[in-house]
Structures are given as structure tokens and as C-alpha cells.
Amino acid sequence: FPLSKSVGERMLLLVQTYTLSHGLRIPDALIAATAQEHNVPLVTGDGKHFSFIEGLSIKPWDVIVRDSSLRLE
């Protein structure tokens, strides 16, 4: 997804809300903001980086790979 003003604004809000309390860093805030803005789940191997963000749908990477019909060789 392209970076947009709305993603940037959401990222800034996430940084302001969660940096001090949870250690959220800008790259993770950008990833989370993009997922939220486009209403898609965030697929990750480490959900603890994002689990505290309200309204963010998180899908574990291993579950996606295991359940996918696409197999990586």
C-alpha cells in the first residue's frame, strides 16, 4: 500500500499513544497504521510488538503459512 497522509496521521497518533507506555517504534507504528487504514489484518511472527494496539487485527504468520494452499519450497 502506498504511504498516504491518513496513514501518516494514524502513525503519529500511535506513536504519541504507545511509545512511552509500550515502546512502540516508528517502523512498527507505520506497519500498524497501514494495516488499520486499509482495514486488513497485520500478519506477523511477533504479535507482542502490536498486541496492545486497540482495533488492530493480528494474524500469526505461522498460522497463515500452515493454512495456506501456497507452499514455499
Side-chain angles (χ1 to χ4, degrees):
F1 294 104
L3 184 59
S4 65
K5 182 178 179 182
S6 58
V7 169
E9 290 170 346
R10 190 180 292 253
M11 179 195 72
L12 180 59
L13 179 62
L14 291 174
V15 167
Q16 291 171 336
T17 304
Y18 297 111
T19 295
L20 291 178
S21 62
H22 292 87
L24 183 67
R25 294 179 170 226
I26 290 173
D28 286 342
L30 179 58
I31 292 166
T34 302
Q36 284 183 320
E37 192 64 27
H38 294 281
N39 199 30
V40 296
L42 191 155
V43 178
T44 181
D46 194 354
K48 70 180 179 185
H49 288 184
F50 304 98
S51 62
F52 49 85
I53 298 175
E54 292 184 38
L56 180 63
S57 174
I58 300 171
K59 301 292 181 190
W61 171 254
D62 59 337
V63 172
I64 299 296
V65 171
R66 183 181 64 235
D67 294 345
S68 175
S69 61
L70 174 65
R71 299 290 177 216
L72 302 176
E73 300 294 323

